[in-house]
Amino acid sequence: MGPPLPLLVVALAGCLHPVRSCIICEPSVVTELKNLETDYLPEHLPPEAQKDVMKRVEDAVQDFKKLPIDDETYMGAVDEPTLHKASWSFLTDLKRIMDTGVKGELLVKELFWMLHQQKESFARLSAQFLREFYCPNKCGLMLQTLIWCNACEKQVHACRKSKDCGERQVEIYEMEDMVLDCELNWHRASQGLTDYSFYRVWENKTESLVSKGKEPTLAKPMVGPEDEGTYRCELGTVKKSPATIMHFHVKVLPKKIEGETQLANTTAPADGAPDETTIVLEQPSPDKTLKRHLIWLLISGVALVTVGIGAV
Ligand SMILES: *[C@@H]1O[C@H](CO)[C@@H](O)[C@H](O)[C@H]1NC(C)=O
Ligand SMILES: *[C@@H]1O[C@H](CO)[C@@H](O)[C@H](O)[C@H]1NC(C)=O
């Protein structure tokens, strides 16, 4: 049982220029088509159907490659996840056909229909790639590996946008922990990234390096007034240009919760001794603590939230 499949395989593998379905770039697809050719077809297709089948499969494959190149659906290249998705879809369909043990004319029809479906599926995935995953960075430089479908060639593609990824205003209370986060969501999908460097930018425009490493954040516990100022983060790449530059303007506010620790200490009946606030209460009761809180609220004007937390 010969030719239809060899033809299919050859057509898929070799004759799809200038635009060919990328899925043939996946070795698993090539392997599975070989299996179809050598294992399945000889058992399921009569020799006399060959010529007709050959022609029809040829047409179907011709149709498969007629995916027009444009800005919105297909650019001749996709990323690896898209290629995996498309190949998986194709292989699943092919396996489904072979699992049914379908023969003869019906087999040809199913293969033909499947190729048609898969062409549409690939077009959809390719359009989705262009919409959602192609150069998703709004700023900076992202390096993305693409597979060019014509030659099954992998290339690193540079998505260049405006260099500066903007300024962040950060307000933080004294004695709290400061965390400056330089990570943008496309960083994880980018190739060729090196380190995040954080610099302190002084008034006189000079900079000093504060930290450098794979961590996208700069953390400083218990900030003081001396930490107020401008910081710059730079994420490096293997290329000359950095992937991302971001500025942080940090303002350190006066200590927020002076009263909170006092309140907590006051209400903790460590030694059971009454303090002056309990004197105004008529008798000790289970909600004594709450009442004391309320009095403290009136006295010190501490936020209601604190009372709730303290009373628990
Ligand atoms: C700039 O200011 C920083 C911090 O005030 C200081 O350490 C540094 O020496 C200054 N550099 C120059 C060139 O004036
Ligand atoms: C609150 O109590 C803790 C221990 O219970 C103590 O270390 C701390 O100094 C107290 N703070 C104030 C403001 O009294």
Side-chain angles (χ1 to χ4, degrees):
M1 191 50 278
L5 250 292
L7 175 81
L8 173 67
V9 174
V10 168
L12 274 172
C15 307
L16 293 176
H17 297 285
V19 178
R20 72 189 207 183
S21 163
C22 243
I23 59 168
I24 209 67
C25 302
E26 283 274 318
S28 55
V29 170
V30 177
T31 307
E32 204 50 34
L33 285 173
K34 263 259 177 306
N35 289 344
L36 181 70
E37 177 193 4
T38 56
D39 299 345
Y40 192 85
L41 279 203
E43 305 276 309
H44 297 84
L45 214 55
E48 62 273 16
Q50 284 173 19
K51 253 199 163 141
D52 183 43
V53 169
M54 275 167 66
K55 177 82 177 76
R56 291 167 68 185
V57 169
E58 200 172 20
D59 288 349
V61 175
Q62 283 295 110
D63 193 47
F64 204 147
K65 83 178 184 185
K66 283 185 208 141
L67 202 54
I69 291 198
D70 68 48
D71 287 348
E72 272 162 25
T73 54
Y74 184 58
M75 57 175 278
V78 293
D79 64 352
E80 284 177 310
T82 302
L83 178 57
H84 290 320
K85 259 188 256 173
S87 306
W88 184 83
S89 163
F90 176 82
L91 289 173
T92 308
D93 256 14
L94 185 58
K95 185 171 184 311
R96 189 182 45 74
I97 291 175
M98 294 199 283
D99 282 350
T100 60
V102 63
K103 293 185 176 203
E105 190 64 14
L106 194 55
L107 166 62
V108 176
K109 276 192 184 147
E110 293 222 350
L111 280 174
F112 185 46
W113 175 242
M114 187 273 275
L115 283 167
H116 171 75
Q117 297 278 82
Q118 287 303 320
K119 180 196 169 193
E120 293 194 342
S121 160
F122 180 73
R124 270 196 308 276
L125 287 169
S126 168
Q128 185 192 25
F129 159 69
L130 284 180
R131 248 188 350 260
E132 294 171 33
F133 308 115
Y134 174 63
C135 291
N137 56 323
K138 297 212 162 44
C139 65
L141 167 69
M142 177 178 179
L143 300 172
Q144 199 173 26
T145 298
L146 299 184
I147 295 103
W148 292 88
C149 301
N150 263 347
C152 291
E153 215 172 49
K154 271 190 204 178
Q155 272 178 19
V156 175
H157 179 72
C159 307
R160 288 177 202 280
K161 305 281 169 69
S162 77
K163 277 210 172 108
D164 199 330
C165 285
E167 324 237 317
R168 307 280 185 278
Q169 305 296 331
V170 179
E171 291 197 342
I172 182 146
Y173 289 99
E174 207 177 322
M175 299 306 284
E176 288 193 343
D177 302 341
M178 173 178 85
V179 178
L180 305 181
D181 190 350
C182 191
E183 185 168 39
L184 297 173
N185 49 18
W186 52 266
H187 286 174
R188 282 168 200 273
S190 183
Q191 316 276 314
L193 300 179
T194 54
D195 287 330
Y196 289 89
S197 302
F198 283 88
Y199 299 88
R200 180 78 193 258
V201 185
W202 304 105
E203 299 264 325
N204 58 21
K205 305 289 175 209
T206 63
E207 294 185 337
S208 30
L209 183 68
V210 183
S211 78
K212 182 172 174 152
K214 301 286 170 216
E215 269 300 308
T217 52
L218 172 65
K220 170 118 205 291
M222 313 237 300
V223 294
E226 70 281 3
D227 296 310
E228 181 164 301
T230 299
Y231 296 77
R232 186 173 72 89
C233 156
E234 181 171 324
L235 170 59
T237 67
V238 293
K239 305 259 182 193
K240 280 210 177 71
S241 321
T244 295
I245 291 176
M246 215 186 279
H247 284 86
F248 300 88
H249 300 291
V250 175
K251 190 166 162 51
V252 176
L253 304 171
K255 249 192 258 184
K256 180 177 58 172
I257 18 100
E258 187 70 41
E260 198 171 48
T261 45
Q262 269 181 17
L263 185 65
N265 275 16
T266 315
T267 54
D271 53 5
D275 58 38
E276 61 219 72
T277 56
T278 54
I279 293 168
V280 295
L281 298 170
E282 285 183 353
Q283 58 202 345
S285 65
D287 63 354
K288 183 177 85 169
T289 318
L290 176 64
K291 283 181 182 164
R292 285 201 286 172
H293 270 299
L294 289 171
I295 288 157
W296 266 100
L297 176 69
L298 291 173
I299 293 168
S300 61
V302 172
L304 195 61
V305 176
T306 318
V307 176
I309 293 163
V312 170

